[in-house]
Amino acid sequence: YSSPNIAKKFHIGHLRSTIVGNFIANLKVALGHDVTRINYLGDWGMQFGLLGVGFQRFGNKEKLQSSPLQHLFEVYVQINKEAEDENTKMMAKDFFRKLEERDEQTLSLWKQFREFSIEEYIRIYKRLGVHFDEYSGESFYQEKSQEVLKMLEDKGLLQKTIKGTGIVDVSEKKDLSSFSTVMRSDGTSLYITRQVSPSVDLAAAIDRMNKHSWDTMIYVTDKSQSNHFQHLFQILKLMGYEWAERCQHVSFGLVQGMKTRRGEVIFLEDVLNEVRSRMLQNMASTKTTKEIEDPMETAEKVGLAALIIQDFRGLLLSDYQFSWDRALQSRGDTGVFLQYTHARLHSLEQMHGNEQLTDVNVACLQEPDAISVLQHLLRYDEVLYRSSQDLQPKHIVSYLLTLSHLAAVAHKTLPVKGSTPELAQARLCLFQAARLVLANGMKLLGITPVTQM
């Protein structure tokens, strides 16, 4: 999941893959699975030919050190203006050929681009609360993809068109009504057409099986790639890999209308900064914010909750229209409301001395509002199970929103202060349980619960 293209700033288009993949990984870990989180970078292809030529022409070593992705972005924009020029095209092809031939100087420049990119991504992932166990990429599988082509040939699966392009027939009736192109006519991988090459993805899948011997492999990308993955799994099956049945593609729709105050937004960092500053503004207008130790940090966490909940409320496959006002409302079904509820329950515990609740007599929780909360808490494991079946976060989101509404009502009608010690203890225990489940559920979704707000 995530899988940004190196040498480019983190694009907002990769946000959904990142948070959805992170959620699935968190959920699987919570259910006792052993999970390897892989970031499969777009780090190969003709665009590096163009970027390499661009850097030789317009690059600046100091700028590359200080703000690598911003600088590479500027270089790329500049060289793209000349991309139609025959001479530039030739030079770009030449640069990429040298890269494929592992020419030392060319390779060392590419490695720098890659390392700087990953460093910058890790900084942004940290803000999102996301981490990876493995950074791999298309570049790792260049040689292995040649082996895959040979395997396809040996198994009689590789066919050549009149133009010399290599294809695999994936149609049911074997009438070529559906096929996948795995090799260009000049024998190079498909990178020049800017699409993911099936032979590289085949090589990656086989390699991961050898390395991790996994039970399930999950790919998180947008729905425009559904066809690609269907073909990929079919070809693996044709090659005789039974485990292809256990590959899964989780696809998602597009987010429309993400704009900052400065206009249409392309970069994730701008969105994170915007949500933090809007949240700080909202917090500054409420009376309680003065006592918060680190308002900036709190605004970041609450803002991220707002982004994630707005994204996860519907089916992942649906496109949705992003709205700042809707995302940042403190009342209503938003991430801000979840954070607010958590902070309130936390301060209730603090007020009553955070003592260890030992022999609590829960039998005295007789009120309908208390029983509603209890019954809802009992459903938590069912909801996790349901989410693990279809890998949709919306079940957990709606569960937590309902929990927060029920807890808010109970908070009003079931006072801890002024009740008999026995009843106060039992109510405190109920609110603590609600807060713990709320916190756990939020963490699964990739949200860090705040204790003040």
Side-chain angles (χ1 to χ4, degrees):
Y1 60 102
S2 195
S3 309
N5 299 314
I6 68 157
K8 289 186 175 175
K9 285 176 75 168
F10 203 108
H11 191 282
I12 190 66
H14 295 281
L15 174 63
R16 273 200 113 175
S17 172
T18 308
I19 60 179
V20 172
N22 186 47
F23 154 71
I24 293 173
N26 292 345
L27 178 65
K28 293 289 185 185
V29 168
L31 297 173
H33 297 279
D34 180 16
V35 176
T36 304
R37 301 160 183 254
I38 300 178
N39 198 344
Y40 184 60
L41 302 167
D43 62 357
W44 201 250
M46 198 53 193
Q47 70 266 33
F48 289 100
L50 202 55
L51 186 66
V53 173
F55 193 76
Q56 286 164 344
R57 240 178 252 180
F58 312 112
N60 174 318
K61 288 250 154 61
E62 284 73 51
K63 279 187 184 170
L64 186 63
Q65 289 282 349
S66 60
S67 55
L69 295 189
Q70 185 55 40
H71 181 52
L72 290 175
F73 175 66
E74 287 157 7
V75 167
Y76 197 65
V77 168
Q78 260 179 303
I79 192 70
N80 249 329
K81 290 177 187 156
E82 302 174 19
E84 287 312 303
D85 165 58
E86 283 309 312
N87 186 31
T88 305
K89 269 189 197 165
M90 285 307 299
M91 287 173 76
K93 266 193 172 155
D94 193 47
F95 188 96
F96 186 51
R97 200 199 69 245
K98 281 185 183 161
L99 204 51
E100 295 220 284
E101 289 166 359
R102 300 281 189 261
D103 166 68
E104 239 168 82
Q105 211 181 341
T106 317
L107 206 56
S108 111
L109 187 60
W110 171 84
K111 274 194 176 129
Q112 269 187 307
F113 293 167
R114 192 178 192 278
E115 277 155 25
F116 283 138
S117 301
I118 292 177
E119 267 171 46
E120 192 135 334
Y121 290 153
I122 288 174
R123 185 177 61 75
I124 293 184
Y125 286 136
K126 214 172 169 162
R127 285 183 71 176
L128 288 169
V130 167
H131 71 277
F132 289 92
D133 301 311
E134 210 175 283
Y135 280 84
S136 88
E138 298 165 1
S139 60
F140 284 75
Y141 298 109
Q142 289 318 302
E143 283 159 37
K144 288 199 166 100
S145 73
Q146 295 306 313
E147 292 165 28
V148 166
L149 290 172
K150 184 153 181 0
M151 282 163 75
L152 287 169
E153 202 159 17
D154 295 348
K155 288 186 188 288
L157 294 167
L158 189 66
Q159 303 184 28
K160 291 268 173 76
T161 63
I162 301 163
K163 288 183 182 161
T165 313
I167 59 171
V168 175
D169 185 354
V170 289
S171 63
E172 271 183 39
K173 294 180 176 164
K174 294 284 162 262
D175 57 2
L176 282 177
S177 56
S178 171
F179 63 86
S180 182
T181 307
V182 289
M183 188 180 77
R184 298 182 69 242
S185 54
D186 57 6
T188 61
S189 51
L190 275 183
Y191 279 102
I192 298 173
T193 56
R194 282 207 166 212
Q195 66 202 71
V196 186
S197 162
S199 58
V200 174
D201 272 355
L202 291 166
I206 295 165
D207 182 60
R208 286 176 200 145
M209 189 53 175
N210 295 340
K211 203 153 110 196
H212 299 291
S213 61
W214 43 262
D215 298 298
T216 311
M217 178 156 59
I218 300 168
Y219 295 84
V220 184
T221 71
D222 73 75
K223 59 187 177 187
S224 71
Q225 298 207 22
S226 297
N227 224 3
H228 168 77
F229 284 105
Q230 242 175 328
H231 285 178
L232 184 70
F233 305 157
Q234 278 173 297
I235 296 173
L236 285 166
K237 231 181 275 182
L238 291 172
M239 291 172 81
Y241 293 114
E242 294 292 315
W243 48 258
E245 301 274 351
R246 307 201 303 273
C247 293
Q248 226 176 332
H249 177 219
V250 174
S251 58
F252 52 83
L254 303 173
V255 184
Q256 286 131 353
M258 253 200 187
K259 291 184 170 67
T260 61
R261 293 201 172 95
R262 292 204 304 271
E264 200 64 53
V265 52
I266 345 178
F267 301 123
L268 178 61
E269 189 125 36
D270 299 335
V271 171
L272 293 180
N273 294 342
E274 177 97 6
V275 75
R276 185 174 61 193
S277 78
R278 284 181 189 243
M279 210 48 240
L280 269 172
Q281 243 179 340
N282 292 2
M283 281 160 51
S285 61
T286 59
K287 295 182 284 296
T288 52
T289 308
K290 293 178 197 61
E291 304 98 59
I292 291 184
E293 283 145 38
D294 188 347
M296 198 76 156
E297 174 103 345
T298 303
E300 174 109 325
K301 287 173 181 162
V302 177
L304 190 58
L307 284 180
I308 289 176
I309 295 300
Q310 168 136 309
D311 196 292
F312 283 179
R313 278 190 60 192
L315 267 174
L316 293 178
L317 210 52
S318 331
D319 301 342
Y320 77 93
Q321 193 68 33
F322 180 80
S323 145
W324 286 110
D325 295 337
R326 216 175 45 236
L328 296 173
Q329 275 168 4
S330 52
R331 299 266 173 266
D333 291 342
T334 62
V336 182
F337 172 60
L338 290 184
Q339 289 282 31
Y340 175 68
T341 306
H342 183 271
R344 270 181 82 188
L345 292 172
H346 183 266
S347 74
L348 180 71
E349 283 170 52
Q350 297 262 283
M351 260 164 36
H352 296 281
N354 257 346
E355 68 241 44
Q356 276 303 306
L357 302 169
T358 40
D359 0 302
V360 177
N361 177 15
V362 285
C364 53
L365 294 171
Q366 294 291 337
E367 302 81 1
D369 290 342
I371 289 169
S372 296
V373 174
L374 278 170
Q375 285 176 328
H376 194 65
L377 290 175
L378 282 172
R379 286 195 202 106
Y380 185 53
D381 56 348
E382 274 171 47
V383 171
L384 295 194
Y385 178 71
R386 193 168 167 204
S387 263
S388 77
Q389 293 302 96
D390 63 4
L391 301 182
Q392 296 289 329
K394 71 183 182 100
H395 311 303
I396 296 176
V397 171
S398 66
Y399 174 87
L400 295 178
L401 288 166
T402 304
L403 177 62
S404 297
H405 287 297
L406 292 172
V409 172
H411 190 264
K412 278 198 194 96
T413 61
L414 310 173
V416 173
K417 207 175 162 184
S419 310
T420 64
E422 187 183 43
L423 191 57
Q425 279 277 42
R427 284 176 178 174
L428 209 48
C429 186
L430 177 71
F431 288 124
Q432 190 179 42
R435 185 187 66 78
L436 287 172
V437 171
L438 181 58
N440 285 334
M442 281 159 76
K443 285 176 193 157
L444 289 183
L445 297 171
I447 296 168
T448 308
V450 299
T451 52
Q452 297 173 300
M453 193 178 147

